[in-house]
Amino acid sequence: MGVSRRSLDTRLIHAGEIRPGIEGAVELPIFQSANFESVEGEAYHDIKYMRLGNSPNHAVLSAKLAALEGAEAALVAASGMAAITSVFHSLLSVGDHVIFQDCLYGGTYDYARREFARHGLTCDFVDGERPGSWGEALRPETRLIYVETITNPLVQVADLESVVAFAREHGLISVIDNTFASPVNFRPTELGFDLSLHSGTKYLNGHSDIVCGAVIGRAGLVARVKRMMNYLGGSLDAHACFLLHRGLKTLAVRVRQQNESALTLARALEAHPAVARVNYPGLPSNPGHERAARLFDGFGGMLSFELDGGAEAAKKFLDAVEIAIVAPSLGGVETLVTMPAATSHAGLTADERRQVGVADGLIRVSTGVEGAADLVADFEAALAAL
Ligand SMILES: *Cc1c(COP(=O)(O)O)cnc(C)c1O
């Protein structure tokens, strides 16, 4: 059976692996070597050197990630932001314009707003759920459209099918940050996206102990990003490659449990009298539910909710939870809770936050892999203490 026809679970374990294993090793050793012996006639970008991201550790990860999303090629990067900024610097030139979805990861948003102009780039932000409005942002110099699979912290699902169609109609490169969904729940290439980006720091590695990133998609585009990353120096260290490789093998079992626990938690919160609103695409009450059910294999481990008591109640809740840890970031095995108004969206004024729908009392949850019943009990005890 061809590798691409095997299930995602099997691909996670076996795709891209060197078989038979080196010296019979079941697991790939860490090639902790900055450089490798020269081969006659090799060009600069072919020299085996850690910055050029071409050790066996990098090669196996790239092949595995490409196989996971059913894509032609992939690369790993030193962080999600190294992947994202390398995409901009390799695929855009002075004068180019980008259409962004309006609620982006903070680092990406700040980079576009603060740094694009210095590189001669321009951009506009559009509502991902209103494809009819995107044409107004289009210019002759528009090159790329960039969205996120599930937004932070309101976990909205943009009209992703229309993004692909719009990009094709207007000859744009379509790029999606697929971090929140992970390849278990969504594979953008299958829908027609040109590039899928990940902060591997989150679900791919899954253990909150390294930062890393990935670019997955069309071979020609990935090769251009790789060339630029070789200059910028954003390659992933060999030891971090090993940890990402190890983390990836349990991606499917982790994410499926996180999907299930997040749904259990979302339902319990929705039924609770102290909770004003729950955002989770797995709830039939969610505006993105139908689309998420159609496009995704699971609704993900991320949810957010508002308490009747606003910011004060939210602070008390964070003080009272015992299992969940109050910390930023997401996608690991521990359940994490944050108040976006005080963390990711602290740079905005209260008015701006209201405009983007982030209430001061909003709590974001990254569901871990603890027992779901324990998580529900922990949240309910904290709500009872308000
Ligand atoms: C964390 C995150 C990033 C940035 O990734 P780093 O690994 O921290 O550089 C980008 N996009 C999304 C959606 C993220 O959650």
Side-chain angles (χ1 to χ4, degrees), residues 198-274:
H198 286 272
S199 167
T201 312
K202 317 295 167 53
Y203 289 101
L204 295 184
N205 175 58
H207 293 75
S208 305
D209 48 13
I210 55 166
V211 291
C212 58
V215 178
I216 306 172
R218 286 179 185 280
L221 295 175
V222 173
R224 284 166 67 186
V225 179
K226 174 117 191 351
R227 234 183 144 71
M228 179 56 71
M229 222 174 61
N230 287 350
Y231 295 128
L232 297 178
S235 69
L236 190 61
D237 168 75
H239 195 262
C241 282
F242 161 74
L243 287 170
L244 171 60
H245 191 171
R246 185 166 74 165
L248 266 177
K249 297 203 178 171
T250 56
L251 180 68
V253 286
R254 283 188 280 109
V255 168
R256 290 207 188 102
Q257 177 158 339
Q258 285 162 321
N259 288 343
E260 261 184 54
S261 296
L263 182 60
T264 304
L265 210 47
R267 283 186 181 140
L269 288 168
E270 193 173 47
H272 198 285

Side-chain angles (χ1 to χ4, degrees), residues 286-309:
N286 190 275
H289 178 67
E290 186 271 333
R291 181 178 296 139
R294 184 157 35 85
L295 297 180
F296 303 164
D297 291 336
F299 298 109
M302 300 301 298
L303 62 117
S304 58
F305 64 100
E306 282 172 42
L307 296 172
D308 283 326

Side-chain angles (χ1 to χ4, degrees), residues 79-82 84 105 108 148 177 179-180 199-202 211-212 330:
S79 67
M81 284 308 295
I84 292 165
Y105 174 71
T108 311
E148 295 183 359
D177 181 331
T179 301
F180 271 42
S199 167
T201 312
K202 317 295 167 53
V211 291
C212 58
L330 60 116

